[in-house]
């Protein structure tokens, strides 16, 4: 549970996944802003990464929750 988890894509599904990760005692360290934005980052105690490069550099595990191949 000491791994830093970054989450990319904070729409409805990504936001709920980030909340659930925190509920189980893991740390969501950084997020890339999506539909729920800064409020979700504050809620789970994460920082908002300014770029995907920054998120990957500051995370041990990265979850992507995007709607299609183009977004990926």
């Amino acid at each position: 549970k000491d791994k830093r988890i970054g989450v990319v894509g904070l729409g409805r599904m990504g936001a709920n996944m980030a909340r659930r990760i925190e509920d189980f005692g893991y740390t969501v360290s950084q997020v890339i802003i999506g539909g729920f934005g800064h409020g979700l980052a504050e809620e789970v105690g994460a920082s908002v990464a300014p770029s995907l490069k920054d998120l990957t550099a500051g995370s041990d595990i990265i979850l992507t929750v995007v709607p299609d191949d183009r977004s990926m």
Side-chain angles (χ1 to χ4, degrees):
K1 293 192 177 186
D2 60 343
K3 301 290 185 186
R4 299 168 300 161
I5 301 172
V7 181
V8 178
L10 291 179
R12 182 178 306 214
M13 185 178 290
N16 286 330
M17 288 176 68
R19 289 180 184 110
R20 194 72 172 144
I21 289 166
E22 186 198 34
D23 287 346
F24 278 96
Y26 292 90
T27 301
V28 177
S29 59
Q30 294 187 79
V31 297
I32 294 285
I33 293 302
F36 289 88
H38 288 83
L40 188 278
E42 187 175 313
E43 180 183 332
V44 298
S47 64
V48 176
S51 70
L52 186 56
K53 181 180 178 180
D54 292 315
L55 183 132
T56 57
S59 302
D60 300 307
I61 299 168
I62 301 163
L63 300 177
T64 57
V65 188
V66 295
D68 55 33
D69 289 343
R70 183 174 179 199
S71 297
M72 187 64 112

